[in-house]
Amino acid sequence: MGLMQGHPLLISLLLVHAERHHGDGEIVSRRIEGDLHRYQWRDVARRSRQVARALDGLGLPLSARVATLAWNGYRHLELYFGVSGSGRVLHTINPRLHPDQIAWIANHADDRVLCFDLSFLSLVQAVHAQCKTIGHYVALCDDDYLPADSGIPGLMSYESWVAGQSADYSWPEFDENAASSLCYTSGTTGHPKAVMYSHRSTLLHAYGAALPDSMALSARDAVLPVVPMFHVNAWGIPYAAALTGCKLVFPGNALDGQSVYQLMESEGVTFAAGVPTVWQMLLDHVKRGGLHFSSLKRTVIGGAACPPAMIEAFQEQHGVEVIHAWGMTETSPLGTLCTLKNKSLKLPRDQQMKLRRKQGRALFGVDFKIVDRQGAELPWDGKTFGDLYVKGPWVVGAYFSAGAADPLVDGWFPTGDVATIDPDGYMQITDRSKDVIKSGGEWISSIDIENIAMAHPAVQLAACIGVKHPKWDERPIVVAVTKPGETLGRDELLRFFEGKLAKWQMPDDVIFVDAIPLGATGKMLKAKVREMPEVLDYCRRAGTPS
Ligand code: ADP
């Protein structure tokens, strides 16, 4: 056996490190109250210990679930460390889910405590009677803001609950495989499924997130996670920030382009992370105002395919490097990130750009393969596509649910995505397997079609779906939203595809709509798009059973 010290990899270690080695590192939060709050890692450490004591005071056993309904902010950060560090499990609930689904999730998770931002007061008032296991409700505010007569039993303010506690607390030591936090998938693929992370998986993921070919986080960065702390732990940024000592900037609930831009500029943000729909709002704001980014250097974009037009706008117009990333709740979430290899630096710009559109290379810790329907591995030639399978120490092993079926196939997790892998190991998502369009026995990638549509200067957002066709089985059509003040005709948009796709891959038609339904994490909900009245009407008129 090796003779090295056997410290378990626990989340509390990150906080101890942050306090001792970059205790004066800044955390800035735009609060729900409206102002900017500033403090330092040493304050996070002190107040997280107070949170741990407060949880002890409630008599909560180890592994009890503590839920949050909260935006990105310093109190949420304290819960990240105080709850998990003390051996309880942090359950970050996505407040954009339907209230019934929130109640279902809280019951399923056996949540004992719910801490929520006051912007979700009416939501909590609506669901608390259905949440059978929650015994304590905490509003993330001080007593001055605590609503009177909320109707929520025993509601207390976070500040009065925590501030009275002693900060004299020693983090417990336990098995690094113990549960640390819990996330439910956003349910775009059916009933939400629960993924239970461990301390070990979270720490390994934090190391992975900080690597140069990943998010390259360092003590020189000021990091703005626009991706919510309820969306797969803000992609691990809170943990990686404690590990590296970067400055953290939290946007609260102000996620519109103007607010995000102002915060980036005033806080000297160098790195930001978010889904494409949020970045679209930011780019629109910047374009309208003729603005530029004075400090932003890199942004990681993932959660849905990043349109090439967005990568180009950031890089060409603003000199901001886009790192396209792929992951899922089941992969903690980082799976692949797209950074160039040394040999690609010599490639002409357009070929580099082609590479950057892909979802990227596997991080150490995640292995992937593509397989055919019989499970046989397919070649890495950049053309052959198949079902994407992944494995690794921060990939789900089993869902948190009594009697849930084993999700693994020979130790690999089938992602439900269809992808190609090129000889250099760059993975590219073709589609979600249920969104792939099968036309005349050939597969058409809905993502390719959406990317082209979104490169049209008048298009704000576009979804490509397959509609039934008597001869070809399915044919692609585009459902598009135009930018405010722009007009665009069906024929003009269809002409825009010419020369960019093979003839049989071209969409048959375009339907313009006012808005495309987005899910709880800002992704287009294709299932809902298929049910839009305009789409059903189109299918009726075209005689294609939807
Ligand atoms: P849900 O599975 O409930 O939608 P997740 O947030 O876990 O919630 O979503 C993961 C899925 O999002 C992936 O399986 C993939 O289909 C999609 N996805 C994530 N990142 C990308 C990306 N960069 N390009 C294309 N699809 C992506």
Side-chain angles (χ1 to χ4, degrees):
M1 299 298 282
L3 296 174
M4 309 311 280
Q5 298 182 14
H7 293 288
L9 299 176
L10 298 177
I11 285 172
S12 55
L13 281 187
L14 293 171
L15 195 59
V16 170
H17 174 78
E19 183 176 26
R20 287 175 62 80
H21 299 283
H22 35 258
D24 63 351
E26 229 189 338
I27 286 116
V28 181
S29 310
R30 197 195 290 278
R31 300 203 306 169
I32 310 306
E33 292 89 324
D35 56 348
L36 278 189
H37 172 276
R38 292 173 189 281
Y39 74 168
Q40 302 176 333
W41 273 111
R42 60 171 64 98
D43 302 307
V44 186
R46 175 177 43 82
R47 285 175 43 103
S48 300
R49 292 197 297 271
Q50 290 175 301
V51 168
R53 279 219 172 235
L55 295 169
D56 285 355
L58 298 181
L60 286 186
L62 287 181
S63 90
R65 262 74 72 198
V66 176
T68 60
L69 273 170
W71 298 107
N72 291 6
Y74 65 103
R75 292 180 181 124
H76 207 173
L77 186 68
E78 293 159 10
L79 289 164
Y80 260 55
F81 289 102
V83 171
S84 304
S86 69
R88 282 86 183 196
V89 175
L90 183 77
H91 173 202
T92 49
I93 303 181
N94 186 337
R96 296 184 183 130
L97 295 175
H98 189 277
D100 290 345
Q101 214 168 21
I102 290 178
W104 183 89
I105 283 175
N107 287 324
H108 183 265
D110 192 13
D111 290 335
R112 299 301 175 86
V113 183
L114 174 62
C115 303
F116 62 95
D117 273 331
L118 280 181
S119 36
F120 304 120
L121 177 65
S122 54
L123 176 57
V124 177
Q125 284 169 325
V127 299
H128 75 82
Q130 297 172 60
C131 299
K132 304 292 180 216
T133 59
I134 299 177
H136 308 278
Y137 290 89
V138 180
L140 295 171
C141 62
D142 60 25
D143 274 349
D144 292 347
Y145 284 90
L146 195 66
D149 308 325
S150 66
I152 299 168
L155 180 64
M156 47 187 171
S157 86
Y158 179 81
E159 293 301 333
S160 66
W161 181 49
V162 164
Q165 309 290 335
S166 160
D168 183 15
Y169 178 85
S170 302
W171 297 108
E173 202 168 285
F174 43 79
D175 187 334
E176 64 184 20
N177 290 301
S180 61
S181 64
L182 177 63
C183 275
Y184 283 70
T185 63
S186 49
T188 48
T189 49
H191 224 28
K193 294 188 213 105
V195 181
M196 184 70 95
Y197 307 109
S198 69
H199 285 258
R200 174 186 156 81
S201 72
T202 305
L203 257 80
L204 293 174
H205 183 267
Y207 274 110
L211 285 172
D213 270 339
S214 176
M215 298 206 247
L217 297 184
S218 80
R220 290 159 303 287
D221 276 311
V223 175
L224 178 84
V226 180
V227 52
M229 290 166 82
F230 54 77
H231 188 193
V232 211
N233 299 323
W235 299 350
I237 289 174
Y239 306 115
L243 183 145
T244 57
C246 59
K247 172 176 171 176
L248 265 180
V249 183
F250 286 130
N253 60 350
L255 302 177
D256 59 287
Q258 183 179 10
S259 308
V260 171
Y261 177 76
Q262 278 172 357
L263 197 58
M264 280 181 166
E265 289 297 304
S266 64
E267 297 304 324
V269 167
T270 58
F271 175 83
V275 296
T277 38
V278 170
W279 284 159
Q280 193 59 53
M281 292 195 283
L282 177 70
L283 284 175
D284 287 348
H285 172 74
V286 168
K287 190 167 179 199
R288 264 198 309 277
L291 307 167
H292 71 283
F293 297 104
S294 58
S295 55
L296 188 67
K297 294 195 183 78
R298 313 182 309 285
T299 168
V300 67
I301 304 183
C306 179
M310 182 172 283
I311 303 182
E312 271 145 47
F314 268 116
Q315 304 229 155
E316 305 296 304
Q317 288 157 31
H318 300 290
V320 175
E321 182 188 3
V322 170
I323 303 159
H324 192 189
W326 169 90
M328 47 198 317
T329 310
E330 287 88 339
T331 63
S332 296
L334 296 179
T336 68
L337 294 107
C338 194
T339 55
L340 299 184
K341 287 183 170 178
N342 178 286
K343 67 177 185 183
S344 316
L345 298 176
K346 299 190 205 88
L347 292 173
R349 211 201 112 267
D350 59 322
Q351 284 187 44
Q352 286 193 7
M353 212 41 123
K354 251 191 173 157
L355 270 181
R356 288 188 174 280
R357 292 174 185 176
K358 300 192 176 195
Q359 276 71 8
R361 296 182 288 121
L363 264 178
F364 170 73
V366 177
D367 195 5
F368 58 41
K369 66 176 180 180
I370 45 173
V371 299
D372 65 17
R373 288 287 140 101
Q374 285 71 46
E377 187 161 1
L378 292 165
W380 293 20
D381 58 11
K383 293 189 201 77
T384 310
F385 49 85
D387 293 321
L388 180 69
Y389 283 33
V390 292
K391 69 173 178 184
W394 62 76
V395 176
V396 72
Y399 288 108
F400 172 65
S401 181
D406 179 2
L408 304 189
V409 179
D410 297 333
W412 293 79
F413 174 69
T415 65
D417 287 327
V418 176
T420 61
I421 305 173
D422 73 16
D424 285 327
Y426 285 83
M427 184 275 286
Q428 182 159 29
I429 300 281
T430 314
D431 241 320
R432 276 217 157 169
S433 51
K434 63 185 171 33
D435 293 335
V436 153
I437 298 158
K438 289 157 212 100
S439 175
E442 298 286 347
W443 286 18
I444 299 176
S445 157
S446 68
I447 292 181
D448 281 353
I449 293 179
E450 286 158 7
N451 282 345
I452 296 171
M454 281 195 267
H456 191 287
V459 171
Q460 171 93 24
L461 199 59
C464 172
I465 52 169
V467 293
K468 293 258 180 299
H469 190 280
K471 178 164 177 203
W472 302 112
D473 191 17
E474 268 186 339
R475 289 295 301 155
I477 62 163
V478 171
V479 180
V481 181
T482 49
K483 286 189 179 155
E486 301 277 355
T487 47
L488 178 64
R490 162 194 181 274
D491 295 343
E492 190 185 343
L493 185 53
L494 286 178
R495 265 199 306 278
F496 189 68
F497 284 91
E498 280 168 18
K500 299 185 177 86
L501 288 171
K503 252 197 151 49
W504 60 271
Q505 294 170 323
M506 302 270 281
D508 278 4
D509 223 319
V510 179
I511 302 174
F512 289 100
V513 296
D514 292 336
I516 286 176
L518 298 180
T521 50
K523 300 182 203 199
M524 295 191 287
L525 292 179
K526 299 266 189 92
K528 288 257 164 68
V529 173
R530 290 186 191 96
E531 290 162 11
M532 289 177 82
E534 294 91 336
V535 174
L536 295 177
D537 191 45
Y538 170 86
C539 294
R540 252 194 312 276
R541 277 186 290 112
T544 62
S546 58

